Amino acid sequence: MTDLVRGILNIIWLLFGGLWLALGYVLAGIICCVLIVTIPFGIASFRIAGYALWPFGRTVVDNGPVGAFSTLGNIIWIIFAGIWTAVGHVVTAIPMFISIIGIPLGIANLKMIPVSLMPLGKVIVPSDYFIGGVRR
């Protein structure tokens, strides 16, 4: 996918839901940071918000083996927020798939499910970070 196509898709995405999605993740991040104990979840929410603003040309990868605290944090996140955000992504992807131009937007929305379900231990990198399945 060329940079021009990615840029056009990102602008369409931003106009048709990306901005609101990112604002929701920012609000969740602010609430998590105010509660002090949940600051790691707040940082993860801000990371997802950045991804939600500009998803085309970027991908989510594991940041290597996660420790016990990240695993426990992901379990807590799944219970209190992950399931709901994943369901939200699926529900909002369905209307996007209805139109031809919305199909890439629906795919991008579904691409956010893994990071919204278990955000700790994940990083967002440019799509060209992987060449032939190998990290550059």
Side-chain angles (χ1 to χ4, degrees):
M1 188 179 323
T2 66
D3 289 336
L4 177 64
V5 174
R6 286 182 188 148
I8 291 170
L9 285 172
N10 277 320
I11 291 170
I12 293 170
W13 168 264
L14 195 62
L15 295 174
F16 291 103
L19 181 63
W20 295 109
L21 186 60
L23 287 174
Y25 278 113
V26 166
L27 179 63
I30 291 170
I31 291 169
C32 287
C33 286
V34 166
L35 298 175
I36 307 296
V37 176
T38 55
I39 286 177
F41 301 122
I43 293 168
S45 292
F46 293 138
R47 185 173 50 247
I48 298 169
Y51 185 47
L53 273 177
W54 215 250
F56 293 96
R58 297 173 16 173
T59 190
V60 177
V61 295
D62 289 326
N63 195 20
V66 295
F69 289 115
S70 291
T71 303
L72 180 63
N74 277 330
I75 292 169
I76 292 169
W77 177 270
I78 287 171
I79 293 169
F80 291 104
I83 299 268
W84 306 111
T85 56
V87 168
H89 283 295
V90 170
V91 168
T92 55
I94 292 169
M96 291 178 176
F97 280 115
I98 291 174
S99 70
I100 299 289
I101 198 165
I103 291 172
L105 304 180
I107 292 170
N109 211 342
L110 294 178
K111 205 171 81 168
M112 288 187 197
I113 291 174
V115 72
S116 69
L117 196 57
M118 296 190 316
L120 302 177
K122 305 264 196 262
V123 292
I124 298 161
V125 297
S127 293
D128 60 357
Y129 185 70
F130 286 97
I131 305 277
V134 179
R135 281 187 180 181
R136 282 203 282 157

